[in-house]
Structure formats: structure tokens, C-alpha cells
Amino acid sequence: MLKKITTLASVVLLSAVTACGSGGGGGGTGSSGDTITMGFAQVGAESGWRTANTKSIQDEAKAAGIDLKFSDAQQKQENQIKAIRSYIQQKVSVIAFSPVVETGWDTVLLEAKRANIPVILTDRSIDSDDTSLYKTFLGSDFVEEGRRAGDWLVSNASGPTSVVELQGTTGAAPAIDRKKGFEEKIAAKPDIKVVASQTGDFTRSGGKQVMEAMLKSQPKIDVVYAHNDDMGLGAIEAIKAAGKVPGKDIKIITVDAVKDGMQALANGEINFIVECNPLLGKQLMDLAKKVVKGEEVPARVVTEEGTFTQEQAKAALPQRQY
Ligand code: AHR
């Protein structure tokens, strides 16, 4: 029987630290006294992964009895900062967000800290020396995801191999880390070369556009490494339009494993997918309850994920939730 490599959403506690010294949020359990109010600043609606992530957060907030204030930043940091400031003004019990980019958060997070509102990072992390600005970070190990993509290529490439990379949003943790992990692994095989690398902003249209340009400018493309399924699916459209066969003439590796990606993998148009689990809602609500009560939480909670070959995708598709 084909075996999916890992289970979803089990939690590895990398380090048990972080007490919530300041206790709960500025609004405590909210104005009613009992209800926890969470302000959530989402990245946007750029991908199938994001849609599944948003649904998981909304469904699980409801199930947990948490009053969710939700905003969509349309992939713009300034919109996320505005949303966080508005949650501070509203004195929510806890703020959670998935930072669109890694840097530039210290000022607004210091404002939240001064207002005594705990912050949880979810999905993506920030690049800051001040770890007191947030209580915990729940999400994937993106470097490891890049390594898994690189491992597959190292095992499956033969002879000189030209790779084009479709990067995620510039400055975003998954774009930086997936690139890093992939490069780390392919360094073992000097025959594998990344001949072009450009951002497609994690969107299908971005992936298509960048791939169209690369097909014109690159004399030889053997492999596409796309930082998410959506960009890979956009690349498939461009490859077909150029009269080539995706999955055969040009091999495709992606990250996420959302339904559309898994379908393309099962159909033979993608060759390998590294999983990134978007169903973070339940763990997020559990962590939120703890930080609001002032209980200890781990500084880092990593979602456990696997990988899929074409055969494994065929077996997993009927049960795929998202
Ligand atoms: O941060 C997670 C990434 O963001 C997903 O891999 C991608 O699809 C999304 O846009």
C-alpha cells in the first residue's frame, strides 16, 4: 500500500520556554470578561494554501468560542501594520498574524507589548533580535521544505540539469528559507544549476507570467522549482502554451500539496510536492487561550509535514481536505 510519508498537524516542541510574564492581553479576556477576542492580520488570499489557512482559523475560532476580528492585508505590510494598530486600539485579548515579510515589525510589536497584548506569530516568522515581542511562533520549517525539494532533485536528476526557480514573495520567510534549503541540498551535485530565479509572488498569475518570460529567455530548462503549488500551476499553463509537456519535457517540483497541486501531481504534470500544512487553526486557538491566561507556551511549535510522489498523490487525493 502506498504510504503517505507523514501525518498532518502533529506538534513537535522544539524548545520549552517562554513564560508569558506579562500575563494576558490588555483587554484580558475581552470586554465581556469571558470571551477571548483575537485580532488576526492575514497576509492575503494569494493562494489555495492561504484560502485553506483562513478557513481553518475562522472555523477553529468559532469552535473555540473565540471572537475573531479578521483582516486581509492583500500582501501589503503597511496594511498588516494598520490592522495590528487597530487591534491594539480595540484592546483585543491577543493578536495573531502571519507576517507578509520578515523585517520591519519591531515598532508595531513594541506598541502591542506596551499595551500588554500578547502576540502570536503563525505560519511565517519575523527577523528580529527581540524575541520578547511575541510569545510563540507556530508554523512550518520552511528551510526543511526546501531541503526536501532539493533532496528529490539530487536523487532524480541525471546529467547536466538546468533549473528555473519561481520564488515566493520577496522578503517573505517561506521564499527566503525554501531557496536556502534547496540550494543547500543541490550543492552536492554541481551538474544541477539554477539558471534563473525570479519572484512570482506566490500567485498562479505571477507563476505563469514569470515562466512565460523564462521560456523565452532560457535556451534550456529541465526543471521548475516553484515555491508553491499555485506558481507551479501557472508555470504548467505557460509550458503547455509553449508546446511542451509539463512533467515530462520539463519536470516540476512545488511546495504546499493543496488539492489542485495534488491533482496535477496525480495527472503527471507535477513530479514532486513537498507538503506545507495550512490547517493551523486548532493549534493557534489552543495557544491563544494559554497566552491570554498567562500560561507557559513553547517558544516554537513546528508543524510536521511530508512529501508526495505522483503515486502517493493518487492514493491521498480522495481524502484530501483542502
Ligand atoms: O507562508 C506559507 C506560504 O504562503 C504558502 O506556501 C504559499 O502558498 C502561501 O502563499
Side-chain angles (χ1 to χ4, degrees):
M1 201 181 87
L2 293 167
K3 207 175 80 182
K4 180 174 171 302
I5 290 176
T6 63
T7 53
L8 291 176
S10 63
V11 179
V12 178
L13 305 183
L14 283 188
S15 53
V17 219
T18 316
C20 307
S22 56
T29 51
S31 48
S32 73
D34 298 322
T35 310
I36 293 174
T37 309
M38 173 186 283
F40 190 92
Q42 182 59 290
V43 168
E46 73 282 6
S47 63
W49 189 99
R50 190 64 56 198
T51 305
N53 179 248
T54 292
K55 185 173 180 325
S56 168
I57 287 157
Q58 291 173 333
D59 289 352
E60 294 297 340
K62 205 169 175 194
I66 291 180
D67 176 15
L68 182 71
K69 296 179 186 303
F70 184 90
S71 60
D72 172 340
Q74 300 180 336
Q75 297 238 70
K76 289 198 173 71
Q77 182 175 34
E78 71 213 63
N79 291 346
Q80 280 195 309
I81 290 175
K82 261 189 225 157
I84 293 169
R85 290 212 164 106
S86 128
Y87 296 145
I88 296 170
Q89 275 195 338
Q90 292 173 61
K91 298 186 168 45
V92 297
S93 324
V94 55
I95 291 171
F97 79 116
S98 170
V100 61
V101 291
E102 276 191 337
T103 55
W105 299 103
D106 286 38
T107 306
V108 71
L109 294 188
L110 198 57
E111 291 167 27
K113 189 179 171 185
R114 288 195 179 127
N116 198 25
I117 299 177
V119 170
I120 299 175
L121 302 180
T122 172
D123 163 35
R124 299 181 182 178
S125 189
I126 61 169
D127 182 3
S128 169
D129 292 335
D130 187 354
T131 53
S132 78
L133 295 176
Y134 55 93
K135 298 296 179 190
T136 180
F137 165 38
L138 161 68
S140 309
D141 181 341
F142 296 133
V143 178
E144 184 53 32
E145 291 173 351
R147 286 190 193 116
R148 287 174 183 173
D151 269 340
W152 184 86
L153 186 56
V154 167
S155 311
N156 287 276
S158 57
T161 305
S162 300
V163 181
V164 296
E165 182 180 35
L166 304 180
Q167 289 188 45
T169 305
T170 305
I176 296 166
D177 293 353
R178 286 172 187 166
K179 181 176 184 55
K180 187 175 165 204
F182 183 76
E183 282 173 353
E184 194 186 291
K185 288 295 179 175
I186 63 165
K189 230 178 179 178
D191 259 3
I192 302 175
K193 288 204 168 55
V194 177
V195 293
S197 180
Q198 215 179 305
T199 181
D201 216 10
F202 280 130
T203 65
R204 207 173 283 209
S205 58
K208 185 177 177 199
Q209 223 179 312
V210 172
M211 192 66 208
E212 281 167 353
M214 285 175 168
L215 282 161
K216 284 182 191 140
S217 63
Q218 293 302 320
K220 178 176 172 279
I221 300 176
D222 301 305
V223 175
V224 173
Y225 168 43
H227 288 187
N228 78 345
D229 287 348
D230 281 80
M231 291 190 295
L233 292 164
I236 288 173
E237 289 176 33
I239 292 168
K240 283 183 180 168
K244 293 187 191 266
V245 182
K248 294 209 163 57
D249 296 336
I250 299 180
K251 304 266 191 292
I252 303 180
I253 306 166
T254 66
V255 183
D256 275 356
V258 295
K259 246 190 194 154
D260 287 357
M262 292 286 273
Q263 190 60 63
L265 181 62
N267 293 347
E269 295 186 327
I270 293 179
N271 302 81
F272 187 67
I273 300 185
V274 178
E275 186 181 37
C276 180
N277 179 17
L279 306 181
L280 303 176
K282 169 87 176 71
Q283 288 165 283
L284 174 61
M285 300 310 146
D286 290 348
L287 288 166
K289 284 181 181 170
K290 288 187 177 161
V291 298
V292 168
K293 278 194 214 145
E295 288 176 14
E296 282 199 5
V297 292
R300 175 77 167 106
V301 181
V302 182
T303 26
E304 200 177 295
E305 291 146 350
T307 58
F308 292 93
T309 61
Q310 293 174 337
E311 289 310 312
Q312 287 166 336
K314 282 181 202 157
L317 254 175
Q319 292 86 43
R320 204 70 186 156
Q321 287 179 57
Y322 53 89

